[in-house]
Every structure is written in C-alpha cells, then in structure tokens.
Amino acid sequence: MALRYDATQPPQLCGPWQGDTAPAFAHGYPQLRGLDGCGSASSASASARTASSSSSAPRRAGVGVGAALAAALAGRRQGERVRFPQPMEVGGRSITSAVVLREFRTATRAVLVELQPGGARFICKFEDLRMEHALMAALKQMNARWRSSGISLFGCPVQVVPYDILPLSVELGLVEAVPNSRTLCDLSRGLPHAERHLRVLQALASEPRRLDRLAATSV
C-alpha cells in the first residue's frame, strides 16, 4: 500500500484496498464518504445544485461547509453556542447549531464541540485533515485483517480503536470524540514533573488486565 499526497490535491491510497479507502479520495472533498454519502462526481454536483437552489436546504460538504464552520467557530470560547443561518449536513447529520464544550491549548486552537440536534461530539481542528483520514482508513483495513486472522495479544484481540475523521476543507476538519477518553495532558494533571512518564501506568492503576488491553490496542 502506498500513500500519495500533494498539498493541492486529495491524497490517493494505492494498493489492494477495498471499501471506504481509496475510492473516498477519487474526486476530492465532495466525494469523501462519511460526509454526505456521495460516491460520484455527478451525485455531488446534483447536491450542490440542490443546495444552491433552495435557501432552506442543508448546506452540504463540498459546497462551503468547511469554510462556513471555520468562520462560525473560529475564536469561540468555552460555553458559547453558535447558531447557523441555515442547516448544514455534516457526517450524515443535518445540524443547526454547535456548543463549544472545551478549548484545547494547541497551535491551531482546536475546540471540542457538540453538534445539535443529536449531541454528536467532535474535536474541531482548523487544519487540513485529509492525511489523517487516509491513515485512519488504512488502520480500519488493518483491524479487519487482524480480526480475520484471529490475532491476539495476552488474550486480547489486536485492534486499533477507530473513530471518524471528517476533512471538510483545507481550513477545517472534524475528529470524532471517543467517549470516556482522556488526553495525556489530562493524565498529567496533579503529577510531579518527575513522575509524568508514569501517567498512563498510574491511570490504569497498574492492573495487569488493563495493561494487556492497552498493549493489544496500541499501534
């Protein structure tokens, strides 16, 4: 498997892949599966015509969703609710507003948002996530192959915890928030600097079974 990437073009996965990997990048953002379900250039064009002809129709990925979300969410602070002028279709959901739940201290000022209606939570990153989307597609294929081969470690199935990555534009992408997860920064809170290298071990309370599961799900 090879990954071709050009900053001006969507990445291309080449190799014996099937399903939602290489075809997802064939035509760029409007055709990314998981955004609006489009599988061909013609269907994306039809969606764009529908959206532009009706002000009440949800705004679809590929015709301004990324730019619109970037403009609406940039600079928003924790606790703010952003209402959109018209519905937007993101990840198969029609959303009308978003609530900023958390601000991350990152270079791109990423924020955790809750999309309404529905309450789906995503980390909103103000950058191009096409490469990350391609790598996650490859990891999902690896999961399928490990599962079909029955590979395990310490009695735990070997598998990566998958999550959705939605690259809406070069300006913005969404990363699905994994429930009950914590960042390494979260695990470091309250620990002396000299003990931060032990933060994962302490968070898992040194329990052998939990450590085995961590080993089987780490890549």
Side-chain angles (χ1 to χ4, degrees):
M1 187 273 289
L3 179 65
R4 294 201 304 268
Y5 184 71
D6 183 329
T8 63
Q9 299 293 331
Q12 303 282 334
L13 275 172
C14 307
W17 302 101
Q18 298 177 350
D20 62 351
T21 52
F25 297 96
H27 304 289
Y29 292 114
Q31 284 71 43
L32 285 174
R33 289 192 177 93
L35 300 184
D36 60 1
C38 297
S40 66
S42 59
S43 60
S45 299
S47 299
R49 287 195 299 272
T50 301
S52 62
S53 63
S54 173
S55 59
S56 61
R59 186 189 298 269
R60 291 184 176 272
V63 289
V65 165
L69 278 177
L73 296 175
R76 297 290 183 170
R77 307 305 298 270
Q78 183 172 322
E80 286 192 68
R81 176 183 291 274
V82 182
R83 299 185 185 278
F84 308 128
Q86 65 184 52
M88 299 184 190
E89 188 171 314
V90 176
R93 305 172 179 84
S94 180
I95 62 171
T96 57
S97 65
V99 179
V100 178
L101 301 179
R102 179 178 177 181
E103 300 172 73
F104 294 100
R105 296 178 181 177
T106 62
T108 60
R109 306 302 298 173
V111 292
L112 174 64
V113 298
E114 183 176 86
L115 305 181
Q116 297 293 346
R121 295 187 176 188
F122 288 88
I123 297 172
C124 176
K125 303 183 76 173
F126 298 93
E127 57 186 297
D128 188 350
L129 296 184
R130 286 178 294 177
M131 180 66 77
E132 287 82 351
H133 181 277
L135 293 175
M136 180 56 69
L139 288 174
K140 289 179 179 179
Q141 288 289 337
M142 292 169 65
N143 269 354
R145 295 191 177 201
W146 289 329
R147 185 167 53 251
S148 65
S149 299
I151 298 177
S152 63
L153 182 66
F154 303 121
C156 302
V158 172
Q159 61 180 351
V160 176
V161 178
Y163 48 86
D164 286 336
I165 298 178
L166 311 180
L168 301 180
S169 72
V170 296
E171 303 170 77
L172 178 140
L174 299 177
V175 178
E176 180 186 11
V178 179
N180 303 317
S181 62
R182 289 182 289 172
T183 66
L184 290 176
C185 183
D186 291 336
L187 299 182
S188 298
R189 292 198 179 101
L191 289 179
H193 183 75
E195 296 181 13
R196 288 189 178 182
H197 65 290
L198 301 173
R199 53 193 169 185
V200 174
L201 185 65
Q202 293 190 18
L204 297 179
S206 299
E207 294 182 14
R209 188 60 181 169
R210 298 174 75 185
L211 292 171
D212 289 346
R213 179 172 173 78
L214 175 64
T217 56
S218 299
V219 174

